[in-house]
Amino acid sequence: MNNIGEKLKLLRVTRHLTQAGLAKKSGVAQQLISQYEQGATAIGVKNLAKLAAALGCEAAAIDDRIRYSGGVADANTRRIDDDILLLVVDNWADLPPMTRVEIGGLIVAAKKTRGGG
């Protein structure tokens, strides 16, 4: 399965969530979730992060173009986007501890990639 919409739907259904339930939990409009699942609209970085957090998974579980190596983003395949960083900062207290560890690893990898390391 390599279709992002199919993966999103599978993750949602296995968590016993309706599109409306996921919309409420993630803050992403139900209409957009429907479009993502149908493959009609590409998922933006902000909404990918919101949906992954609401589903309790890594963004890579939804979009396999994002690859992880030991919880740290492979610098050759993924760079942290400023929008994700703002979203993380705004929601840090609400994130599960393991997600914080993974995000910390992503930040370290991004700093090394950008020479700030």
Side-chain angles (χ1 to χ4, degrees), residues 4-87:
I4 294 169
E6 290 174 354
K7 289 180 183 179
L8 176 61
K9 183 174 183 176
L10 178 65
L11 288 164
R12 177 181 59 77
V13 170
T14 58
R15 285 157 176 78
H16 307 286
L17 288 169
T18 62
Q19 288 180 349
L22 180 56
K24 184 175 181 178
K25 192 171 181 179
S26 66
V28 176
Q30 185 271 325
Q31 294 85 353
L32 275 176
I33 292 170
S34 175
Q35 291 173 3
Y36 296 153
E37 288 183 0
Q38 293 171 23
T41 303
I43 301 176
V45 175
K46 283 183 182 180
N47 284 348
L48 178 61
K50 288 179 181 181
L51 291 166
L55 291 166
C57 66
E58 296 178 350
I62 299 170
D63 187 342
D64 62 5
R65 294 173 298 174
I66 300 170
R67 296 192 180 105
Y68 291 90
S69 173
V72 177
D74 180 343
N76 295 322
T77 59
R78 182 78 178 128
R79 290 179 54 196
I80 293 180
D81 187 278
D82 292 340
D83 290 339
I84 288 180
L85 287 175
L86 290 173
L87 182 66

